[in-house]
Amino acid sequence: GGQKAEAPDESPGEPVVETSEVILASTTSTEDSGLFGEIIPAFEEAYPQYKVSVVAVGTGQALEIGRNKDADVLLVHAKSDEEEFVAEGYGIERRDVMYNDFIIVGPESDPAGIKGETDAKKAFEAIANGKHLFVSRGDDSGTHKREMSVWKAAGIEPAGDWYNSIGQGMGDTLQFASESEGYTLTDRGTYLSMKGKLDLVIAVEGDPLLLNQYGVIVVTDANNLEGGQAFADWVVSPEAQDVIAKFGVAEFGEPLFVPNAK
Amino acid sequence: MSVLVEAVVTSVRLVLQGSEEFWNVIAVTFEVAIISTIVGVLLGTPMGFLMGATRFRGRRTMIALTNTGMAIPPVVIGLLVMMMLSRKGPLGFLGMLYTVNAMSVAQTFISTPMIAGLTAAAVASIPYKLRLQARSLGASPWQEALLVIKEARLGVVAAVAAGFGAVVRGVGAVMMVGGNIEGKTRVLTTAIVQESRKGEFGTSLAYGIILMTVTFGLNGLITWYQHSSERLGRV
Amino acid sequence: MSVLVEAVVTSVRLVLQGSEEFWNVIAVTFEVAIISTIVGVLLGTPMGFLMGATRFRGRRTMIALTNTGMAIPPVVIGLLVMMMLSRKGPLGFLGMLYTVNAMSVAQTFISTPMIAGLTAAAVASIPYKLRLQARSLGASPWQEALLVIKEARLGVVAAVAAGFGAVVRGVGAVMMVGGNIEGKTRVLTTAIVQESRKGEFGTSLAYGIILMTVTFGLNGLITWYQHSSERLGRV
Amino acid sequence: MSRPQSGTGLPLRAEGVRKEYDKRVVLDVDHVEIESGQTLALLGPSGSGKSTLLSILGLLEPPTAGQVYLDGKPVSTKDTAARAQMAAAFQSPYLFKGTVADNVAYGLKLRRMPVAGRREAVAEALERVGLGGWESRSALTLSGGEAHRVALARALVLRPRVLLLDEPLSSLDPLIKMQMMQDFARIIREETMTTLYVTHDQSEAMAVGDVMVILREGKAVARGHVDDVMGLPPDEWTACFIGSEPPFRGVVIESDEGLTGIDVGGPIVWATGTLAPGTRVLVGIRPEDVLLFESGVEIPTTTARNQMAGTVTAMQLLGVMYHVVVDIDGVRLASRVSRASVREMQLERGSEVQVIFKATAVRVKPQEDGRDS
Amino acid sequence: MSRPQSGTGLPLRAEGVRKEYDKRVVLDVDHVEIESGQTLALLGPSGSGKSTLLSILGLLEPPTAGQVYLDGKPVSTKDTAARAQMAAAFQSPYLFKGTVADNVAYGLKLRRMPVAGRREAVAEALERVGLGGWESRSALTLSGGEAHRVALARALVLRPRVLLLDEPLSSLDPLIKMQMMQDFARIIREETMTTLYVTHDQSEAMAVGDVMVILREGKAVARGHVDDVMGLPPDEWTACFIGSEPPFRGVVIESDEGLTGIDVGGPIVWATGTLAPGTRVLVGIRPEDVLLFESGVEIPTTTARNQMAGTVTAMQLLGVMYHVVVDIDGVRLASRVSRASVREMQLERGSEVQVIFKATAVRVKPQEDGRDS
Ligand SMILES: Nc1ncnc2c1ncn2[C@@H]1O[C@H](COP(=O)(O)OP(=O)(O)OP(=O)(O)O)[C@@H](O)[C@H]1O
Ligand SMILES: Nc1ncnc2c1ncn2[C@@H]1O[C@H](COP(=O)(O)OP(=O)(O)OP(=O)(O)O)[C@@H](O)[C@H]1O
Ligand SMILES: [Mg+2]
Ligand SMILES: [Mg+2]
């Protein structure tokens, strides 16, 4: 069932392909990375009967949309929440799709002297102790949650003038950090895509603590269950994984995501 | 300000290249804006007339409420409409969420109070005796109301312009209930937000420039109409 | 709609608990709104008078531009102001970005065209002969303008209400130049957006309710003033 | 004029109408009625309630108390149908934005008159108010008088059954005023419109009015046929308001061959008509019928039956003419005297003069007991 | 009145003022001036340009061409200072929102008068227009006449050097009108205000005006002392406008003991004053000075020097009086006759009548060659 929509490239003469809309709720950072520009067309090519509409919002909002069954399938990166979501019965199952990693970026001057550091906890400690400006997304997004878990691991309760929680998207947050010469935790994809416009350099990378796992969830009795299921199945399929592996190489010389579907 | 230059260049390029994508954004933007303005006029002017030109209990409260309506953040309206249209919500069966219609509905909640509140002030400035004069010539209440609105034209048109502006500018609501879906519910404002979020300030401003240019065109027409009465001389 | 219930409960709780945090948000919200409205009045009413009550070349263009100004998305304004105040921008040295003042500046760009455009329509409805009468009694151009604005009071106050509404509702600009820094530049609208991003719709609406309640209070006052002239009877 | 029964077919009638504005009574008229095709001239000083009464009769303002009847049926401000049979022109012309034609055509449009006929009717109405061919002029830039005339045309063009005019000519010059007054008188008669004509100008009232009501502070202090009211004002104030002296009481002493001698307590006044001697009467003479001559001049009684000596007790310049009050052994008469005559006769308070007026100029009214006395 | 040199101390003067509205010339007066403390009565039919001229002299509208002088200095609409010496009351009272007091006090506030004095002045001005104690009434709900009076008070209270009044009394009843006219005449004299008084009512013009200008379609067709213009209207149209007949030409045939006989081509007209026989003169008589009697009646010449037989050629009812035109072997005279007399004498076109008027009523003006003839 589901909402009907015509294929955009429909022209008279050709037999009309009845397509149904699949609503994919994801995060702004994922969309802003441009990934969907690659995989959605590929999927629609493989499954012409489906048309995917991406609704990019905050992670929390995405899950909420899922709970309301306003989306058919989710692609987000907040593992524990995703598992809880499934446990509560809102999602059928959660499958790993890919990962990229978080990095800590900061001003060239690197007042906290953490450049080259590979231990995120140590880096955070340095920032906190030196009360160096730190910008937090503070929007319960996957990125934010990961930042909090790092603080937790470092045993720090971040607060004070140096700690700016701004409740905005990744792009805004990077912008803010760049403008205010602060540190922030970001996913590599967004950072790379904005690098040119920022006065920020990578300070810390490679800590396993900073891996950013993306998962796909089909929403329980979603409006377009078949479509959602089809997308989920496709995105973990070898051909989709292949598309993901290639994405970004052309533009940034390195892939933005590492496919790791089992 | 290299960004500004970039913005202008980009805007021109966008228009000239004119991808289907792009024109779709333009189309949706003004479809939503115009529909919600028209509905806003249909609902708002009568309300405005009632508040401005008649007397009834609770009138002032209604006016205060309307003025408050002018201040409701689009996000809030978006949230409420979304909750209405959500599959879990009372109107879920319509399956309207994340459609252009949903956006028009949400925007109408923005345009209506604006138009109503400002129309009220405009018609209130029409002397009561003029209305009595119309009555004495046989005008029915409806015809009288029509005359008053015609007489208050300058103000009413300004109200409409303001209402149109409010829907053109308001992004929170359309973002919320439209979902900014590429090729479907993406409009200029949501595109602007997304681009600026990505730090693509140039592109973001480019969309802004396009939006403002079209709006300026429309306002040109409105102003021309609004002041066509001036040929009748100064009163 | 359990969310609505949750929203009401939360809003009450927020007010009763009244964390410093919370009151700071309220304070900043209305500090910015009121400052930018006042500045908007100071700049907008004279502009409105010029456009509505005088004749000069390019007047209509100016009106069309002002009406367009009513439609500029706050995000765009935010972007531009941000580029001005950016460390790389011409006014970077002020170090004003991400401060409350920056927000007031940005919001003023929103309130001014609104107030100017609507004031223009209001004063245009005042008969020219009335102004001649004032002149003939010795009114200087300034005193004449003052009288016209007093006579057009109903419309002008509505314009101010609309301007206030625009700054209260507009989130894009303050988000962009204020940064929504917790405890510093966070205002109700930015909080609303943030909460809805988190999917905390209840809390989000709670803030909305609080914003609307205060605004309604203020509008109550405005309306009362606006119509206090009615004791003079219907004209 | 005795009060008619309710439900009579009088086109327009009102009973016990009162209007208060925040407790201040500005109008309180126990009854007023206009017979079909007649014109009621409503006079009264500024602020006496004329316009208020007009808008109540026009079903525009609800009275605080009282009832308006149209053709005997009670009507209210709600009755759009009833109001559609009326048309009013207010004291100040509230013209609508647009051209002169737009304004005059407004009522016709509402009545769904076809365009062609409309254009014709508008042209004619404008012609009538001396603005022929002004159709396309903006209504907003007219001169005071022009605007008033457009407002007038806007009402006249509807040829309503009931016409309500509030000082329609007050802003016009005597020339066009006279011309239009006669024009009114004619069309009102032709179309048998029932008309309420508010004015503060007696000559206007006399020219167009059949009957007349004078308001004073919201109360009707005089009503009746125009000539009666003007000739025999019921009281001092009314007399003063219409610029004459109050009538005086007298007794018929002889009456034959159409001439009646009346003892007014002092001089004998001769009037035309026949009345039984002993009849108590009210006698009034309009100032413009009274001539003053130097005492001692001989005038043949064939011309002016009444000749008596008197003393000037008061003089007031009314623009072109003087209003001179003469006392004839206790009887006060007013006279209109030209500036020139005043100069030549060197009139002043106390001057001895000869008062001369014609028998035909004397209005006599047998005195019913009660309010007149 | 000969044209004064530029730069004379005339308080208010304008030269060659012309006003066009989209190419239509609505005003074109080559010169107009008011002497200090004098009142210029501006008459003219509706639409003749009176208000336009007023707002040009009041520095409110710029003329299309021409120049206004205040005390001989050229002034323009820009000169707020010059305008501050003037005050105007328009044809329709544009009252400001607020109370009556707010309105009347407006000009005083602008002039920074202390509150106490202000209150007093306002009270007095309101008293003057018969609205004493109305301070706190809303200005928006006044009756037509009341509003006009407030507008008037608003201008009078300023005691300006130059006062501009546009039909100030047109919406008032004769009673208060007269009273206020005399009041004006007095204060204008007391305060030596230089006044432009627009009106369409001759009696008003004669009561308050010293000099007089009559406009017709934007042109000044008559100017001069009020009595001259009214007595000897320069042309047919003006005569008709002020409700008399045009003067006729004659030659003095004898003149002694202050009496002058004039041959007007047919009858001999006797006037007061002395003039050399043979002088060519213009002769005018106001209608209200002319009495009509049945032919054959004897009137002693002591009273009315001029007695001649004539034929009624035209009659028109002007409300209270008839305007009767009589032809005396080719000379046309107008007379005012009361309705009663008309009834009695059974006047109608063609009736033979005796025309009687006093020598003092005859205006004589030695004829300069040129425009008058
Ligand atoms: N809305 C109102 N509120 C209070 N008083 C009012 C209102 N309308 C009229 N009045 C008063 O009622 C009285 C009568 O008003 P109305 O207009 O009938 O007088 P009028 O006879 O027409 O006088 P005019 O000849 O000056 O027009 C006036 O004193 C006026 O001030
Ligand atoms: N703004 C304008 N545009 C076009 N025509 C105008 C304008 N103002 C006045 N007129 C015309 O100029 C002429 C003179 O107007 P004005 O008001 O001076 O006449 P008026 O002598 O005062 O007449 P009234 O006695 O009726 O007031 C009128 O015919 C009027 O229609
Ligand atoms: Mg009135
Ligand atoms: Mg005028």
Side-chain angles (χ1 to χ4, degrees):
Chain A
Q3 304 158 335
K4 301 296 177 217
E6 276 83 39
D9 54 345
E10 171 207 338
S11 58
E14 297 175 16
V16 175
V17 204
E18 266 297 331
T19 65
S20 70
E21 180 185 40
V22 180
I23 296 181
L24 167 62
S26 183
T27 67
T28 50
S29 57
T30 319
E31 181 180 48
D32 297 350
S33 72
L35 175 67
F36 293 127
E38 295 287 331
I39 62 170
I40 300 297
F43 170 72
E44 288 175 349
E45 202 175 316
Y47 294 80
Q49 68 270 41
Y50 296 122
K51 167 145 193 4
V52 180
S53 295
V54 179
V55 176
V57 290
T59 307
Q61 193 174 348
L63 293 167
E64 197 59 32
I65 289 173
R67 288 199 175 82
N68 292 339
K69 303 201 182 325
D70 290 320
D72 304 312
V73 57
L74 311 179
L75 181 65
V76 289
H77 47 97
K79 197 160 184 184
S80 55
D81 294 17
E82 296 164 37
E83 281 157 351
E84 181 191 347
F85 182 86
V86 175
E88 290 168 351
Y90 291 108
I92 294 170
E93 64 171 328
R94 177 193 175 284
R95 285 177 283 179
D96 284 339
V97 177
M98 61 192 184
Y99 69 84
N100 65 352
D101 62 339
F102 291 111
I103 51 180
I104 301 173
V105 295
E108 190 74 53
S109 54
D110 188 26
I114 56 172
K115 194 170 296 168
E117 176 64 65
T118 53
D119 183 341
K121 296 198 291 299
K122 287 208 173 63
F124 271 28
E125 276 163 11
I127 293 170
N129 297 337
K131 297 208 179 319
H132 299 294
L133 188 77
F134 186 92
V135 185
S136 164
R137 284 183 61 175
D139 63 352
D140 280 9
S141 60
T143 315
H144 182 230
K145 288 199 159 75
R146 182 60 56 93
E147 175 208 324
M148 296 323 280
S149 61
V150 174
W151 286 117
K152 202 152 179 294
I156 298 171
E157 186 62 51
D161 285 352
W162 61 275
Y163 185 82
N164 284 330
S165 169
I166 69 170
Q168 300 191 56
M170 196 66 253
D172 310 300
T173 309
L174 284 166
Q175 190 60 37
F176 191 110
S178 169
E179 276 294 335
S180 53
E181 298 184 286
Y183 293 92
T184 191
L185 182 82
T186 173
D187 63 285
R188 192 180 290 270
T190 312
Y191 170 72
L192 288 177
S193 63
M194 288 180 66
K195 198 171 176 188
K197 305 180 192 64
L198 301 171
D199 299 342
L200 295 173
V201 296
I202 298 178
V204 180
E205 57 186 330
D207 183 327
L209 200 61
L210 297 183
L211 282 193
N212 182 25
Q213 181 62 52
Y214 285 73
V216 65
I217 306 175
V218 178
V219 175
T220 314
D221 49 51
N223 176 56
N224 187 354
L225 193 52
E226 305 83 348
Q229 193 63 59
F231 179 82
D233 296 343
W234 177 82
V235 82
V236 297
S237 69
E239 58 268 37
Q241 294 279 305
D242 187 44
V243 175
I244 293 170
K246 290 202 184 63
F247 171 66
V249 179
E251 198 178 341
F252 309 108
E254 52 178 307
L256 294 186
F257 298 92
V258 180
N260 68 336
K262 302 177 191 62
Chain B
M1 312 244 56
S2 62
V3 182
L4 288 182
V5 181
E6 181 195 344
V8 176
V9 175
T10 318
S11 60
V12 175
R13 212 191 55 243
L14 280 166
V15 175
L16 295 188
Q17 291 179 347
S19 65
E20 195 199 314
E21 231 308 301
F22 170 76
W23 288 119
N24 184 65
V25 170
I26 302 284
V28 176
T29 303
F30 290 97
E31 175 187 345
V32 171
I34 287 167
I35 289 179
S36 51
T37 307
I38 289 173
V39 180
V41 169
L42 297 181
L43 299 174
T45 7
M47 283 170 60
F49 179 81
L50 286 180
M51 292 187 291
T54 68
R55 300 283 176 272
F56 55 87
R57 292 197 85 282
R59 174 169 150 274
R60 290 188 186 193
T61 322
M62 186 169 167
I63 293 174
L65 280 173
T66 317
N67 287 354
T68 311
M70 294 191 209
I72 303 179
V75 195
V76 173
I77 292 175
L79 257 176
L80 295 170
V81 174
M82 179 172 122
M83 280 159 42
M84 286 291 135
L85 298 179
S86 159
R87 301 218 165 258
K88 284 263 195 75
L91 302 177
F93 61 90
L94 295 173
M96 237 172 87
L97 196 60
Y98 304 132
T99 65
V100 174
N101 292 344
M103 295 159 82
S104 302
V105 170
Q107 293 290 56
T108 303
F109 283 101
I110 293 180
S111 60
T112 307
M114 198 87 189
I115 293 172
L118 296 172
T119 301
V123 297
S125 71
I126 300 302
Y128 185 56
K129 288 235 172 96
L130 185 124
R131 290 162 56 195
L132 288 185
Q133 180 66 77
R135 268 181 226 176
S136 77
L137 295 170
S140 71
W142 278 109
Q143 296 164 320
E144 181 185 330
L146 210 69
L147 178 77
V148 171
I149 287 174
K150 265 178 65 186
E151 291 283 318
R153 178 157 138 210
L154 241 78
V156 174
V157 173
V160 177
F164 181 78
V167 293
V168 163
R169 105 188 324 181
V171 63
V174 286
M175 186 68 102
M176 194 67 84
V177 302
N180 183 32
I181 299 168
E182 187 171 12
K184 185 181 171 200
T185 60
R186 180 161 299 166
V187 291
L188 282 168
T189 40
T190 53
I192 291 169
V193 169
Q194 180 176 11
E195 293 304 328
S196 73
R197 191 177 60 210
K198 285 160 59 178
E200 301 285 356
F201 297 149
T203 322
S204 181
L205 285 180
Y207 283 120
I209 291 170
I210 293 163
L211 180 59
M212 290 304 99
T213 316
V214 182
T215 312
F216 178 70
L218 290 171
N219 275 307
L221 292 179
I222 292 180
T223 319
W224 171 80
Y225 169 77
Q226 184 177 30
H227 293 268
S228 59
S229 61
E230 272 169 20
R231 68 179 157 66
L232 295 175
R234 249 170 169 191
V235 209
Chain C
M1 313 244 58
S2 59
V3 182
L4 288 182
V5 181
E6 181 194 342
V8 176
V9 176
T10 317
S11 59
V12 174
R13 212 191 54 244
L14 280 165
V15 175
L16 295 188
Q17 289 180 352
S19 65
E20 194 200 313
E21 231 310 299
F22 171 78
W23 288 120
N24 184 65
V25 169
I26 302 284
V28 176
T29 303
F30 290 97
E31 176 187 344
V32 171
I34 287 166
I35 289 178
S36 52
T37 306
I38 289 173
V39 180
V41 168
L42 297 181
L43 299 174
T45 13
M47 285 170 60
F49 179 81
L50 287 180
M51 293 187 291
T54 68
R55 300 281 176 273
F56 54 88
R57 292 196 86 281
R59 171 168 155 273
R60 291 187 187 196
T61 322
M62 186 170 167
I63 293 175
L65 279 171
T66 317
N67 287 354
T68 312
M70 293 190 206
I72 304 179
V75 195
V76 173
I77 292 175
L79 254 177
L80 295 169
V81 174
M82 177 170 134
M83 280 158 43
M84 286 291 136
L85 300 179
S86 156
R87 278 190 302 105
K88 282 179 267 162
L91 301 177
F93 61 91
L94 294 174
M96 231 173 94
L97 196 59
Y98 305 131
T99 65
V100 174
N101 293 344
M103 296 160 83
S104 302
V105 170
Q107 292 291 56
T108 303
F109 283 101
I110 293 180
S111 60
T112 307
M114 198 85 184
I115 293 172
L118 296 172
T119 302
V123 297
S125 71
I126 300 301
Y128 184 56
K129 287 234 173 101
L130 185 124
R131 290 162 57 197
L132 288 185
Q133 180 66 77
R135 267 182 227 173
S136 76
L137 296 170
S140 72
W142 276 110
Q143 295 163 320
E144 181 185 330
L146 209 69
L147 178 77
V148 170
I149 287 173
K150 262 178 67 187
E151 291 283 317
R153 180 157 139 207
L154 240 77
V156 173
V157 173
V160 176
F164 180 77
V167 293
V168 164
R169 110 187 320 180
V171 62
V174 286
M175 188 67 102
M176 190 83 60
V177 302
N180 183 34
I181 303 169
E182 189 170 10
K184 186 179 168 203
T185 59
R186 180 160 301 168
V187 292
L188 280 168
T189 41
T190 55
I192 291 169
V193 171
Q194 174 173 9
E195 292 305 325
S196 69
R197 279 180 57 86
K198 290 192 201 166
E200 298 287 352
F201 298 154
T203 321
S204 181
L205 284 180
Y207 283 119
I209 291 171
I210 293 163
L211 180 59
M212 290 304 98
T213 314
V214 182
T215 313
F216 178 73
L218 290 172
N219 276 306
L221 292 179
I222 292 180
T223 319
W224 171 81
Y225 169 77
Q226 184 177 31
H227 293 268
S228 59
S229 61
E230 272 168 20
R231 70 182 153 64
L232 295 175
R234 246 172 174 190
V235 210
Chain D
M1 184 179 284
S2 75
R3 181 181 187 153
Q5 299 314 302
S6 302
T8 52
L10 286 168
L12 192 57
R13 190 163 59 77
E15 280 186 13
V17 284
R18 222 173 71 253
K19 184 75 179 176
E20 296 176 4
Y21 288 110
D22 32 58
K23 300 279 159 293
R24 213 167 106 268
V25 178
V26 300
L27 184 72
D28 185 1
V29 176
D30 63 350
H31 70 101
V32 52
E33 50 279 305
I34 318 180
E35 280 165 32
S36 181
Q38 278 208 333
T39 299
L40 170 67
L42 186 59
L43 266 79
S46 172
S48 57
K50 304 184 293 295
S51 301
T52 306
L53 180 54
L54 179 129
S55 43
I56 288 173
L57 290 176
L59 305 179
L60 298 170
E61 294 271 14
T64 313
Q67 178 64 56
V68 179
Y69 299 88
L70 188 69
D71 303 320
K73 280 176 291 303
V75 285
S76 84
T77 53
K78 309 261 171 308
D79 299 314
T80 320
R83 200 158 47 214
Q85 304 183 38
M86 313 180 170
F90 290 173
Q91 195 165 3
S92 42
Y94 283 91
L95 297 186
F96 310 138
K97 282 180 186 167
T99 66
V100 167
D102 296 340
N103 272 273
V104 181
Y106 183 74
L108 298 174
K109 268 215 198 79
L110 296 183
R111 286 163 178 70
R112 301 217 164 29
M113 187 191 225
V115 181
R118 217 193 286 159
R119 195 172 300 114
E120 202 170 283
V122 169
E124 190 210 332
L126 285 175
E127 202 55 64
R128 183 153 270 160
V129 296
L131 294 174
W134 284 53
E135 280 85 351
S136 57
R137 259 294 300 274
S138 157
L140 307 179
T141 59
L142 297 172
S143 81
E146 289 162 350
H148 267 98
R149 284 183 281 164
V150 171
L152 199 54
R154 188 168 57 176
L156 286 176
V157 74
L158 298 177
R159 300 176 169 339
R161 273 193 55 224
V162 176
L163 183 61
L164 307 160
L165 304 178
D166 199 342
E167 314 212 337
L169 308 179
S170 64
S171 66
L172 297 178
D173 52 286
L175 218 56
I176 180 161
K177 196 177 197 162
M178 283 309 152
Q179 169 197 324
M180 287 181 65
M181 256 155 52
Q182 277 136 13
D183 204 38
F184 278 176
R186 218 190 65 252
I187 54 173
I188 287 173
R189 208 160 291 106
E190 280 173 8
E191 320 262 339
T192 65
M193 296 186 199
T194 306
T195 309
L196 175 68
Y197 193 101
V198 174
T199 176
H200 50 245
D201 175 337
Q202 302 147 29
S203 52
E204 238 176 282
M206 293 188 79
V208 294
D210 302 304
V211 290
M212 181 165 173
V213 169
I214 299 183
L215 285 183
R216 178 189 182 185
E217 290 166 6
K219 297 227 177 340
V221 292
R223 54 156 52 91
H225 187 280
V226 170
D227 295 331
D228 291 337
V229 177
M230 296 299 279
L232 297 161
D235 57 35
E236 183 84 23
W237 182 88
T238 314
C240 175
F241 178 70
I242 62 177
S244 69
E245 292 300 312
F248 34 85
R249 245 172 268 102
V251 183
V252 176
I253 51 170
E254 64 165 298
S255 179
D256 60 348
E257 56 200 36
L259 261 187
T260 306
I262 302 161
D263 176 353
V264 294
I268 304 296
V269 171
W270 292 95
T272 52
T274 322
L275 278 166
T279 322
R280 306 183 64 255
V281 291
L282 273 178
V283 181
I285 302 138
R286 292 288 307 167
E288 55 272 11
D289 291 327
V290 177
L291 304 181
L292 299 189
F293 288 97
E294 297 91 338
S295 38
V297 176
E298 277 305 319
I299 309 281
T301 50
T302 52
T303 327
R305 172 75 57 178
N306 300 288
Q307 310 189 1
M308 42 198 74
T311 320
V312 174
T313 58
M315 290 178 59
Q316 184 184 37
L317 178 61
L318 311 180
V320 201
M321 307 286 282
Y322 275 90
H323 179 80
V324 180
V325 182
V326 184
D327 178 291
I328 307 144
D329 354 349
V331 178
R332 256 164 62 231
L333 270 184
S335 167
R336 290 261 183 289
V337 185
S338 77
R339 295 170 144 201
S341 313
V342 168
R343 234 184 284 111
E344 195 222 18
M345 297 164 67
Q346 289 144 19
L347 281 188
E348 57 193 16
R349 305 178 86 269
S351 322
E352 294 297 322
V353 291
Q354 196 174 180
V355 182
I356 291 175
F357 52 95
K358 302 179 177 177
T360 44
V362 182
R363 291 200 76 79
V364 179
K365 190 169 169 206
Q367 203 178 339
E368 323 122 2
D369 45 5
R371 64 191 242 293
D372 281 339
S373 51
Chain E
M1 185 179 283
S2 73
R3 182 182 190 150
Q5 299 312 304
S6 300
T8 52
L10 286 168
L12 192 58
R13 190 163 57 80
E15 279 185 14
V17 285
R18 222 172 74 256
K19 185 74 178 175
E20 295 176 6
Y21 288 110
D22 32 60
K23 301 277 159 296
R24 214 168 102 268
V25 178
V26 299
L27 184 71
D28 185 0
V29 177
D30 63 349
H31 71 101
V32 52
E33 49 279 307
I34 318 180
E35 282 164 33
S36 181
Q38 278 209 333
T39 298
L40 171 67
L42 186 60
L43 266 78
S46 171
S48 57
K50 304 185 293 296
S51 301
T52 306
L53 181 53
L54 179 130
S55 43
I56 288 173
L57 290 176
L59 305 179
L60 298 170
E61 295 270 15
T64 313
Q67 179 63 58
V68 179
Y69 300 87
L70 188 69
D71 303 319
K73 281 177 290 302
V75 285
S76 84
T77 53
K78 308 260 171 307
D79 299 314
T80 321
R83 200 160 45 216
Q85 303 184 38
M86 312 181 171
F90 289 174
Q91 195 165 4
S92 43
Y94 283 91
L95 296 185
F96 310 139
K97 282 181 186 167
T99 65
V100 166
D102 296 340
N103 272 272
V104 180
Y106 184 72
L108 299 174
K109 269 217 196 78
L110 297 183
R111 288 159 177 70
R112 300 219 165 22
M113 187 191 222
V115 181
R118 218 191 288 160
R119 195 172 298 114
E120 203 170 278
V122 169
E124 190 210 331
L126 284 176
E127 201 56 63
R128 183 152 271 161
V129 296
L131 293 175
W134 284 54
E135 279 86 350
S136 57
R137 259 294 297 275
S138 157
L140 306 179
T141 59
L142 296 172
S143 82
E146 289 161 350
H148 267 97
R149 285 181 280 163
V150 172
L152 200 54
R154 188 168 57 177
L156 287 176
V157 75
L158 299 178
R159 301 177 170 335
R161 273 193 55 225
V162 176
L163 183 61
L164 307 159
L165 303 177
D166 198 343
E167 315 215 334
L169 307 179
S170 64
S171 66
L172 297 179
D173 53 283
L175 218 57
I176 180 161
K177 195 176 197 163
M178 284 309 152
Q179 169 196 321
M180 286 180 65
M181 257 156 53
Q182 277 137 17
D183 204 36
F184 278 175
R186 217 189 65 254
I187 54 174
I188 288 173
R189 209 159 289 106
E190 281 174 8
E191 320 264 341
T192 65
M193 297 186 199
T194 307
T195 309
L196 176 69
Y197 193 101
V198 174
T199 176
H200 51 246
D201 176 337
Q202 301 147 28
S203 50
E204 236 177 281
M206 293 186 78
V208 294
D210 302 303
V211 291
M212 178 162 168
V213 169
I214 299 183
L215 285 183
R216 179 189 182 185
E217 289 166 7
K219 299 226 173 346
V221 291
R223 51 157 52 91
H225 188 280
V226 169
D227 294 332
D228 291 336
V229 177
M230 296 298 277
L232 296 163
D235 58 32
E236 183 86 21
W237 183 88
T238 314
C240 175
F241 178 70
I242 61 176
S244 70
E245 293 300 313
F248 32 86
R249 246 171 266 106
V251 183
V252 176
I253 51 174
E254 64 165 297
S255 179
D256 61 346
E257 57 197 30
L259 261 188
T260 306
I262 303 161
D263 176 353
V264 295
I268 306 295
V269 172
W270 293 95
T272 52
T274 322
L275 279 165
T279 323
R280 307 182 65 257
V281 292
L282 272 178
V283 182
I285 302 135
R286 292 287 306 166
E288 54 272 13
D289 290 326
V290 177
L291 304 181
L292 299 188
F293 289 95
E294 297 89 340
S295 39
V297 175
E298 280 303 322
I299 310 280
T301 52
T302 51
T303 327
R305 172 77 55 179
N306 298 287
Q307 309 191 3
M308 40 199 77
T311 321
V312 173
T313 59
M315 288 179 60
Q316 185 185 37
L317 178 62
L318 311 180
V320 203
M321 308 287 282
Y322 275 90
H323 179 81
V324 180
V325 181
V326 183
D327 179 290
I328 306 143
D329 1 345
V331 177
R332 258 165 61 228
L333 269 184
S335 166
R336 290 258 183 288
V337 187
S338 77
R339 293 170 144 201
S341 312
V342 168
R343 234 183 286 107
E344 194 222 18
M345 297 165 65
Q346 286 142 21
L347 280 188
E348 56 195 16
R349 306 179 84 267
S351 323
E352 296 296 323
V353 290
Q354 197 175 182
V355 183
I356 292 173
F357 52 93
K358 302 178 176 178
T360 44
V362 180
R363 295 201 74 80
V364 178
K365 190 171 171 203
Q367 206 177 338
E368 322 121 1
D369 47 2
R371 64 193 240 293
D372 279 343
S373 50

